[in-house]
């Protein structure tokens, strides 16, 4: 199962760099942007740790005030694409 969560992390003033370092050091966590004490993070299931557990762990990083789940996507892996029966892609017209 592919499981990706997008989060907004609010941190105490002056703590952003250490929080970013801690998040990027986790397997499955990645910082994408930060500004004025707000950090945009994605978290994926990794190894034997679920993304939800990693989000809960982020609450324990010194300097973190809040972690808000803003996006969640999951889907089964290794399945055929979802195609509606009877619909086919039209061929491009010849020029």
């Amino acid at each position: 199962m592919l499981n990706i969560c997008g989060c907004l992390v609010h941190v105490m003033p002056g703590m952003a760099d250490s929080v970013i370092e801690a998040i990027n050091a986790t397997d499955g966590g990645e910082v994408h942007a930060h500004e004025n004490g707000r950090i945009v993070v994605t978290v994926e299931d990794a190894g034997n740790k679920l993304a939800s557990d990693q989000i809960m762990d982020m609450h324990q990083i010194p300097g973190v005030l809040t972690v808000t789940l803003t996006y969640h996507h999951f889907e089964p892996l290794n399945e055929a694409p979802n195609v509606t029966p009877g619909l086919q892609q039209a061929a491009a017209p010849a020029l």
Side-chain angles (χ1 to χ4, degrees), residues 7-20 22-23 35-39 41 55-69:
C7 298
L8 179 63
V9 179
H10 283 95
V11 299
M12 295 174 61
M15 299 290 292
D17 290 339
S18 62
V19 172
I20 290 169
I23 292 170
E35 183 178 318
N36 297 327
R38 296 173 298 187
I39 304 171
V41 177
I55 292 169
M56 295 306 294
D57 290 349
M58 280 194 285
H59 286 88
Q60 303 306 314
I61 297 172
V64 170
L65 297 171
T66 62
V67 179
T68 305
L69 179 66

Side-chain angles (χ1 to χ4, degrees), residues 46-85:
N48 60 355
K49 194 154 199 176
L50 298 174
S52 58
D53 293 332
Q54 293 181 53
I55 292 169
M56 295 306 294
D57 290 349
M58 280 194 285
H59 286 88
Q60 303 306 314
I61 297 172
V64 170
L65 297 171
T66 62
V67 179
T68 305
L69 179 66
T70 58
Y71 176 80
H72 184 213
H73 175 79
F74 62 94
E75 64 186 59
L77 293 176
N78 301 325
E79 283 196 8
N82 187 9
V83 178
T84 304

